[in-house]
C-alpha cells in the first residue's frame, strides 16, 4: 500500500468539492470584487457567501469574519492588533504549549517591554485554571490560549477559560487552528473575543485563513491600504481561496456530526494496536480531552525521526514531536513542557487522521510498526538492550 497520509495536523488534502468550488474563480470569474462593473460585481457576492459559510461553522455573524492568508497571520493580527488597541499596556497571558505563531508573537512583545506570562501544563498537557486565575488578577489582560494542541490533540476547556477571562474584563484570543472543523464550536455560547483558523487544516488550500473578531472587540487594523475586509486587512481579496474556505467550512459542518466517532475509533484502534505490539510505548497527552483525529505516542529508546523515515519508506506519512533542526534532535517545546522523560520524548510520533483515513490504512501501519520499532531499538543510541 502506498501513500497512507496520517499527518493531517500538518496539512490536509484539498477536498475535491472545495477544488470544484474554486475553479470557476480561477478560470472565468477573475474580476476584482471592488470593481463596479459586472466582472467585479458577480464575484463580490461569492465572498459574502463564503464569509457566511465560515461564520456559520461556529455560530458567528458574517460581519465578524476577516479573511487572512493563514493561521499564523490570524494569530499575529489578533494578538498584536488587540494589545495595541488596549489604550494601556495589558499583561499578555499565554501557555508554554502554544504554536510558534502565538509564542513567537508573545515573546516578541515581551522583548518590546510587555509583561508576558506563559502558563505551564501538567504531564497530561493540561492547564491548572488556578494558575490562569492568578495570572490575570488585578491587571488589564489579553489572554491567548489555543483550543486544541497541534502535537498532542489535547483540548483546553475554552468554555471555562472564557468565563474566567471575562470575569475580570480581559480580552481572550483563541488559536482554534486545530479545533475548527474537528470540534463543534458555538461562539454564541462561549464568549471568545478573537479566534484564529486556517484553511489548510480543514481541506481548503494553503494560503487562506480567517480571524473572527467579536462585534465590539477593539483591534488595530493589521494591513493598511484599501477598504477591503472592513478596513481591517487591506489587499484585493483572494477570491478563489476565500470561496474554497467557505466550501470547506460547510463540508466540515456536514461531516462532523457523523464522522467524529468513526475518526476516533480509527485513531483508538491505531493507538491500542501500537501500545499492544510495541513495548515501552506511552501516549502523550490526556486521552480524555483530545481531538478525535490525533494520537501522539512515545516509543522509548528510539528516535522519532528514525521511525518517520522507516514509515516513509513504506509510504506512510506521520510526524515527530522533535525538531531535527541543527542536528540537535531537541524534543518539541510541547513535549518538553509536559515533562516527558528524555528517552520517551525523543521517540514521540504523531499520527493525525482525516475524514479520508481508512481502516485498511490503520491495519497497514499496525502491520509494520512493531518490526520498525524492534529494529530501531537494536540500533538505539539511547542504550537499550
Ligand atoms: N496554530 C496552530 C495550533 C497550528 O497547528 C498551526 C499550524 O500548524 C498554526 C497556528 C499556523 O497555521 P498556518 O500554517 O496556517 O500559518
Amino acid at each position: 500500500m502506498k501513500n497512507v497520509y496520517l499527518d493531517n495536523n500538518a496539512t490536509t488534502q484539498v477536498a475535491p468539492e472545495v477544488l470544484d468550488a474554486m475553479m470557476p474563480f480561477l478560470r472565468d470569474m477573475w474580476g476584482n470584487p471592488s470593481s463596479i462593473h459586472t466582472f467585479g460585481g458577480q464575484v463580490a457576492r461569492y465572498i459574502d457567501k463564503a464569509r457566511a459559510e465560515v461564520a456559520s461553522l461556529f455560530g458567528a455573524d458574517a460581519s465578524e469574519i476577516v479573511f487572512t492568508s493563514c493561521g499564523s497571520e490570524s494569530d499575529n493580527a489578533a494578538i498584536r492588533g488587540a494589545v495595541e488597541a488596549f489604550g494601556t499596556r495589558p499583561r499578555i497571558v499565554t501557555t508554554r504549549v502554544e504554536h510558534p505563531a502565538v509564542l513567537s508573537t508573545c515573546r516578541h512583545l515581551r522583548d518590546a517591554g510587555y509583561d508576558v506570562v506563559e502558563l505551564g501544563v501538567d504531564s497530561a498537557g493540561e492547564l491548572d485554571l488556578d494558575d490562569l486565575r492568578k495570572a490575570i488578577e488585578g491587571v488589564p489582560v489579553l489572554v491567548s490560549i489555543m483550543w486544541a494542541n497541534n502535537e498532542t490533540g489535547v483540548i483546553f476547556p475554552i468554555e471555562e477559560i472564557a468565563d474566567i477571562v471575562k470575569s475580570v474584563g480581559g480580552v481572550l484570543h483563541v488559536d482554534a487552528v486545530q479545533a475548527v472543523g474537528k470540534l463543534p464550536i458555538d461562539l454564541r455560547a462561549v464568549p471568545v473575543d478573537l479566534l484564529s483558523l486556517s484553511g489548510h487544516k480543514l481541506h481548503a488550500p494553503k494560503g487562506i485563513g480567517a480571524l473572527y473578531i467579536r462585534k465590539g472587540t477593539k483591534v488595530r487594523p493589521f494591513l493598511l491600504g484599501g477598504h477591503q475586509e472592513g478596513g481591517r486587512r487591506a489587499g484585493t481579496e483572494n477570491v478563489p481561496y476565500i470561496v474554497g474556505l467557505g466550501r470547506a467550512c460547510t463540508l466540515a459542518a456536514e461531516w462532523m456530526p457523523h464522522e467524529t466517532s468513526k475518526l476516533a475509533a480509527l485513531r483508538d484502534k491505531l493507538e491500542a494496536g501500537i501500545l499492544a505490539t510495541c513495548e515501552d510505548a506511552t501516549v502523550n497527552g490526556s486521552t480524555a480531552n483530545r481531538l478525535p483525529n490525533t494520537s501522539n505516542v512515545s516509543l522509548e529508546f528510539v528516535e522519532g525521526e528514525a521511525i518517520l523515515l522507516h514509515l516513509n519508506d513504506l509510504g506512510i506519512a506521520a510526524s515527530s514531536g522533535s525538531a531535527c533542526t541543527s542536528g540537535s534532535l531537541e524534543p518539541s517545546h510541547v513535549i518538553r513542557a509536559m515533562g516527558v522523560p528524555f528517552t520517551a520524548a525523543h521517540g514521540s510520533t504523531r499520527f493525525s487522521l482525516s475524514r479520508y483515513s481508512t481502516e485498511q490504512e490503520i491495519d497497514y501501519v499496525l502491520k509494520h510498526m512493531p518490526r520498525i520499532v524492534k529494529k530501531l531499538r537494536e540500533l538505539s543510541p539511547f542504550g537499550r538492550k
Side-chain angles (χ1 to χ4, degrees):
M1 186 182 281
K2 275 283 165 200
N3 297 331
V4 174
Y5 187 76
L6 298 177
D7 197 13
N8 288 281
N9 286 9
T11 197
T12 58
Q13 136 183 18
V14 175
E17 299 92 329
V18 168
L19 192 59
D20 288 347
M22 291 172 63
M23 286 312 284
F25 297 90
L26 289 162
R27 217 169 11 217
D28 309 313
M29 291 195 278
W30 38 262
N32 185 329
S34 298
S35 304
I36 287 172
H37 50 62
T38 315
F39 283 98
Q42 67 175 356
V43 164
R45 66 196 159 91
Y46 290 96
I47 296 184
D48 296 341
K49 178 171 178 266
R51 207 184 296 284
E53 286 181 288
V54 173
S56 129
L57 181 57
F58 41 83
D61 189 84
S63 64
E64 296 171 311
I65 304 298
V66 175
F67 290 112
T68 65
S69 64
C70 59
S72 301
E73 183 189 328
S74 302
D75 286 340
N76 272 260
I79 297 168
R80 300 167 79 148
V83 295
E84 287 178 22
F86 246 83
T88 167
R89 277 198 166 195
R91 175 178 291 165
I92 300 167
V93 176
T94 188
T95 82
R96 272 188 215 144
V97 295
E98 297 298 312
H99 188 273
V102 166
L103 267 185
S104 308
T105 305
C106 293
R107 288 174 186 173
H108 172 81
L109 290 167
R110 182 189 59 200
D111 294 345
Y114 282 85
D115 173 18
V116 176
V117 176
E118 293 179 11
L119 304 172
V121 293
D122 64 15
S123 59
E126 296 192 297
L127 284 172
D128 181 341
L129 294 186
D130 281 337
D131 291 346
L132 172 64
R133 286 188 188 90
K134 279 180 215 139
I136 64 175
E137 223 175 83
V139 283
V141 72
L142 170 90
V143 177
S144 179
I145 294 186
M146 67 202 322
W147 207 306
N149 189 275
N150 44 304
E151 292 191 28
T152 58
V154 170
I155 298 167
F156 285 151
I158 293 298
E159 296 81 357
E160 232 178 305
I161 288 169
D163 286 342
I164 293 169
V165 174
K166 290 289 113 189
S167 73
V168 299
V171 174
L172 176 61
H173 164 247
V174 175
D175 175 343
V177 165
Q178 293 293 345
V180 169
K182 295 177 191 154
L183 297 176
I185 294 176
D186 186 356
L187 295 184
R188 285 165 299 205
V190 189
V192 166
D193 299 299
L194 299 151
L195 178 139
S196 306
L197 67 109
S198 174
H200 72 104
K201 310 291 184 179
L202 70 152
H203 303 288
K206 285 160 271 297
I208 184 72
L211 177 63
Y212 158 84
I213 305 176
R214 186 178 290 274
K215 235 169 252 159
T217 306
K218 291 198 188 101
V219 182
R220 177 187 51 79
F222 38 104
L223 213 48
L224 301 176
H227 59 271
Q228 293 92 349
E229 300 302 300
R232 290 193 143 121
R233 184 189 190 267
T236 303
E237 298 89 338
N238 185 356
V239 182
Y241 284 62
I242 288 173
V243 168
L245 178 59
R247 186 79 187 100
C249 287
T250 298
L251 285 173
E254 286 166 13
W255 277 79
M256 220 187 312
H258 52 97
E259 284 301 308
T260 303
S261 54
K262 182 197 134 191
L263 206 50
L266 283 183
R267 186 271 315 271
D268 290 347
K269 176 172 181 179
L270 174 67
E271 195 169 88
I274 293 173
L275 295 181
T277 56
C278 305
E279 273 178 53
D280 297 316
T282 46
V283 176
N284 291 316
S286 159
T287 49
N289 292 316
R290 224 177 6 160
L291 291 174
N293 78 319
T294 309
S295 171
N296 188 313
V297 181
S298 270
L299 293 142
E300 292 233 23
F301 317 110
V302 243
E303 288 167 18
E305 272 70 21
I307 298 174
L308 293 191
L309 292 176
H310 280 72
L311 289 173
N312 192 48
D313 286 344
L314 296 161
I316 301 165
S319 156
S320 134
S322 33
C324 189
T325 45
S326 61
S328 68
L329 283 179
E330 265 294 294
S332 85
H333 68 286
V334 175
I335 301 297
R336 271 203 319 264
M338 292 162 60
V340 174
F342 178 85
T343 50
H346 278 274
S348 109
T349 305
R350 179 188 72 187
F351 298 94
S352 46
L353 287 64
S354 82
R355 71 177 71 132
Y356 302 115
S357 302
T358 65
E359 184 146 22
Q360 288 83 343
E361 292 177 342
I362 301 303
D363 291 339
Y364 179 68
V365 177
L366 288 176
K367 183 172 142 203
H368 292 287
M369 269 304 271
R371 184 182 50 75
I372 292 173
V373 173
K374 185 166 179 291
K375 180 171 159 194
L376 289 172
R377 281 199 177 135
E378 283 162 8
L379 306 168
S380 170
F382 296 118
R384 189 173 194 260
K385 52 268 176 193

